[in-house]
Amino acid sequence: MEEIKIFCPATIANISCGFDVLGVALDSVGDEMVIRKTSKKGIFITKLEGQDLPMETDRNVAGVAGLAFLAESDYEGGFEIEIYKKIKAGSGIGSSAASSTGAVWAMNELLGRPFSTSKLVEFSMEGERLASGVAHADNVAPALFGGFTLVRSYAPLDIVPINCPAELFATVIHPQIEIKTSDSRKILKTNITLKEGIKQWGNLGGLIAGLFTEDYDLIGRSLVDHIVEPIRSILIPGFNDVKTSSLAAGALGCGISGSGPSIFAFSRGEATAEKVAQAMKDVYQKIGIDHDVHISKINTEGIREIK
Ligand code: HSE
């Protein structure tokens, strides 16, 4: 195979109680990319549509992830990359992760899969380092593995795929402001108290247990963030109202998607996810903020080839 066209899913990172360790892939929101082999060694971004982003290889997340891949590969040629962005940069649903994972996943396919999925996570993390200053894996891991993933450890990297309950749907609203992950990380405190830690890991354990046992009530009770949300939500207009309205409309839980400004909610069943979307939209219509809404089932396969 010389060329491949792919769908790269958007992702929700953190999922309330799992800052930097939990993430999930979405099914109906994502970018498209075309990757082709070239005889010339190197990574070349030949097309970038939909967003105003750098095309120089070393300033583009797909380029940087691709270079990390090439550095460990014995392939003598190179790759051209076309990126068709549907995910807005700075929206909080893994725009950079979609590009960096898409590049390395496709390159791996074109070379007959020399690398494991975990190794592709490592290459993609270089894209995240470029985008946010920190090589976090909570967006790139679910984009590559599909479904929910837990980063059990960063050193050594240990990614654990988590079960996805069949009836779970996500609603995501993106108020049209941009928040850079690097900025929203700077405002976080670097120490937490033992009391805060106890509450947070109680919820993280509860959420993982709820996902495996498909206990929707437990999932809902566990979607609580005592550490990051109280600080970051200040940057998101209408956050508290969106959250209150989502829960009133039947959502299991609601929180900030990644570093924001998007807000996500999980629901049991598509009908409830649609009611939640309406409740979220009503809040932003009332306060006059433009927004996009996505309703999606969970994507359990990750990046996929498209025709
Ligand atoms: N865990 C990262 C953060 C995700 O919250 O900064 C960024 O999408």
Side-chain angles (χ1 to χ4, degrees):
M1 193 164 39
E2 293 300 305
E3 176 180 306
I4 187 168
K5 184 174 181 189
I6 57 169
F7 169 80
C8 319
T11 43
I12 299 170
N14 301 335
I15 316 183
S16 296
C17 50
F19 179 72
D20 270 2
V21 297
L22 259 194
V24 66
L26 298 177
D27 201 51
S28 59
V29 201
D31 293 342
E32 290 178 8
M33 295 172 82
V34 175
I35 288 90
R36 83 178 59 83
K37 285 183 182 169
T38 59
S39 50
K40 193 168 159 203
K41 199 165 176 75
I43 302 289
F44 310 94
I45 317 282
T46 52
K47 211 180 245 186
L48 205 169
E49 290 181 3
Q51 291 284 292
D52 186 16
L53 292 164
M55 286 180 72
E56 300 91 333
T57 302
D58 58 350
R59 292 184 58 219
N60 180 289
V61 295
V64 166
L67 290 175
F69 179 109
L70 272 193
E72 289 203 28
S73 163
D74 47 22
Y75 171 58
E76 292 298 328
F79 295 94
E80 284 179 2
I81 302 178
E82 296 177 7
I83 309 173
Y84 302 91
K85 294 295 296 176
K86 308 271 166 70
I87 311 172
K88 292 186 179 136
S91 60
I93 51 170
S95 176
S96 54
S99 301
S100 55
T101 55
V104 299
W105 186 88
M107 288 161 60
N108 203 44
E109 290 298 298
L110 292 175
L111 297 185
R113 301 191 189 163
F115 294 112
S116 68
T117 308
S118 292
K119 197 71 197 164
L120 299 182
V121 170
E122 274 180 40
F123 300 143
S124 308
M125 286 165 69
E126 292 309 312
E128 296 296 66
R129 193 193 304 282
L130 176 70
S132 71
V134 178
H136 61 91
D138 49 343
N139 291 104
V140 296
L144 285 161
F145 280 90
F148 286 86
T149 54
L150 171 74
V151 186
R152 207 253 340 137
S153 155
Y154 272 91
L157 189 66
D158 185 1
I159 309 289
V160 184
I162 308 291
N163 179 63
C164 174
E167 295 169 57
L168 202 66
F169 274 78
T171 309
V172 178
I173 191 154
H174 173 213
Q176 305 288 289
I177 54 169
E178 186 182 339
I179 297 181
K180 287 206 170 81
T181 299
S182 50
D183 292 337
S184 70
R185 291 185 81 93
K186 277 186 207 136
I187 61 170
L188 298 177
K189 50 186 186 178
T190 51
N191 291 298
I192 61 166
T193 64
L194 186 57
K195 207 170 148 193
E196 287 169 319
I198 291 167
K199 289 198 266 184
Q200 199 81 355
W201 56 66
N203 281 312
L204 182 56
L207 179 54
I208 302 288
L211 290 168
F212 272 109
T213 57
E214 313 216 351
D215 180 336
Y216 293 88
D217 289 335
L218 177 57
I219 293 169
R221 293 202 299 285
S222 307
L223 287 170
V224 183
D225 175 6
H226 292 282
I227 295 170
V228 175
E229 183 179 296
I231 300 171
R232 280 186 171 168
S233 58
I234 295 162
L235 302 175
I236 305 173
F239 176 80
N240 290 331
D241 290 342
V242 170
K243 183 165 179 168
T244 308
S245 304
S246 299
L247 296 174
L252 300 167
C254 175
I256 302 172
S257 177
S259 54
S262 287
I263 302 170
F264 81 96
F266 284 153
S267 300
R268 182 174 192 169
E270 194 169 14
T272 306
E274 277 165 9
K275 276 191 208 144
V276 170
Q278 191 55 53
M280 288 175 157
K281 286 196 272 188
D282 288 347
V283 172
Y284 281 134
Q285 257 149 23
K286 214 164 163 185
I287 56 178
I289 292 181
D290 288 341
H291 51 271
D292 288 338
V293 184
H294 309 287
I295 298 165
S296 178
K297 72 177 171 69
I298 306 306
N299 166 351
T300 52
E301 64 175 326
I303 298 166
R304 60 176 176 259
E305 184 176 4
I306 52 174
K307 291 295 161 201

